[in-house]
Amino acid sequence: MSDSSGDAAFSPAECEAIRERLAAERAETSTRIAALNREFEAIVASNALVAVDDEHDPEGSSTAFERAHAAALLAQARDHLTALDEALERLERGDYGRCAVCGEPIPTERLEARPTATTCIRCATARPR
């Protein structure tokens, strides 16, 4: 990316590098989603083979907890995949690297740390959580 001032106007080479990074992260996330889907399905399948009372499992965590944990990780990965797709769309439109709130450039360092960022640090910290 061009400079640390966060200029959102990227050169064609920088756009290609960003596109490749987003695509690589998208591929990794898709692989993680597939693995989490298999894990979730295995938990559900194994739960069907055991007694219904998983609240008193002497082996440790309940299958309900494992199922909820896998489902939460899966939802998080799907959300990240959506954010990556949206970042790619912004890149194609020429909006990538601009804050969605104030319109100012998002600093390059922030985009390197969070390539799906839609806000600058000032706007991100000003928003209530």
Side-chain angles (χ1 to χ4, degrees), residues 30-99:
S30 293
T31 300
R32 186 167 61 245
I33 288 171
L36 287 167
N37 268 325
R38 287 189 300 274
E39 180 181 339
F40 183 81
E41 290 168 6
I43 292 168
V44 170
S46 69
N47 191 38
L49 301 174
V50 296
V52 179
D53 185 17
D54 66 349
E55 293 300 317
H56 302 95
D57 182 3
E59 298 299 317
S61 65
S62 69
T63 55
F65 172 81
E66 291 173 6
R67 188 174 53 243
H69 184 251
L73 291 174
L74 188 55
Q76 185 180 42
R78 286 179 177 149
D79 288 347
H80 187 60
L81 188 67
T82 298
L84 288 164
D85 288 341
E86 291 169 352
L88 283 164
E89 289 172 11
R90 288 192 306 278
L91 184 64
E92 296 306 316
R93 284 194 316 260
D95 296 338
Y96 184 82
R98 287 264 170 214
C99 179

Side-chain angles (χ1 to χ4, degrees), residues 1-16 18 90-91 93-99 103-108 111:
M1 294 180 216
S2 56
D3 61 40
S4 63
S5 69
D7 184 8
F10 299 106
S11 72
E14 290 170 324
C15 283
E16 187 57 31
I18 293 167
R90 288 192 306 278
L91 184 64
R93 284 194 316 260
D95 296 338
Y96 184 82
R98 287 264 170 214
C99 179
E104 291 297 314
I106 298 171
T108 300
L111 291 172

